[in-house]
Each structure stands twice: as C-alpha cells, then as structure tokens.
C-alpha cells in the first residue's frame, strides 16, 4: 500500500446526506500512516478534499493532547 490513495465517504444515517466533517479517527490515522498510504481523499457535498498523510505525521493530534473520536 506504499504511496497509495484511500477514499473515504461518510453518509449521515439521519438525513442520507454526505457528512461534511467526515474524517479519519486517531486510530485509523495511525493505521493509514503505518500502511504507507500517501493521500486520503474525502468526499463531501461539494466534491472532494485531499489530505496529504504526511501532514498527520507532522501534526500529530495526540502529541498536542487532542482527543478526537
Ligand atoms: Zn477510525
């Protein structure tokens, strides 16, 4: 999976709409980093946003004391 892309989409169960704040949780971020995935592409209502996984390595939420879902 080195340098691969992962596509992520979240659909709200209550409305059937795309989840605008869809994101990987901290555990999934660690697994994505360890798998060597290069980009995560997240679908939202307007289109897509692309995350460079290297940004998660450089800006680790856990090291900043942030706990997310
Ligand atoms: Zn997760």
């Amino acid at each position: 999976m080195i340098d691969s892309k992962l596509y992520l989409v979240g659909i709200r169960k209550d409305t059937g709409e795309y989840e605008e704040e869809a994101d990987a949780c901290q555990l999934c971020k660690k697994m994505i980093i360890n798998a060597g995935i290069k980009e995560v592409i997240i679908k939202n209502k307007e289109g897509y946003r692309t995350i460079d996984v290297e940004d998660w390595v450089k800006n680790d939420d856990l090291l900043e004391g942030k706990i997310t879902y």
Side-chain angles (χ1 to χ4, degrees), residues 23-27 29-30 33 55-69:
D23 203 354
C25 72
Q26 288 174 327
L27 178 61
K29 285 179 181 177
K30 299 299 180 199
I33 291 167
D55 290 343
W56 289 345
V57 174
K58 292 177 183 169
N59 305 304
D60 190 329
D61 291 343
L62 286 174
L63 294 178
E64 297 173 8
K66 296 178 188 169
I67 303 295
T68 63
Y69 63 95

Side-chain angles (χ1 to χ4, degrees), residues 22-59:
D23 203 354
C25 72
Q26 288 174 327
L27 178 61
C28 288
K29 285 179 181 177
K30 299 299 180 199
M31 290 191 286
I32 290 166
I33 291 167
N34 288 339
I37 293 169
K38 184 180 180 73
E39 288 181 329
V40 175
I41 298 164
I42 301 176
K43 176 83 174 96
N44 58 30
K45 194 185 296 181
E46 289 79 33
Y48 301 89
R49 64 186 168 100
T50 301
I51 295 170
D52 183 349
V53 173
E54 187 68 23
D55 290 343
W56 289 345
V57 174
K58 292 177 183 169
N59 305 304

Side-chain angles (χ1 to χ4, degrees), residues 9-24:
V9 64
I11 305 284
R12 293 194 60 88
K13 188 175 181 181
D14 56 350
T15 64
E17 297 284 325
Y18 288 110
E19 173 57 57
E20 292 303 308
E21 301 297 324
D23 203 354

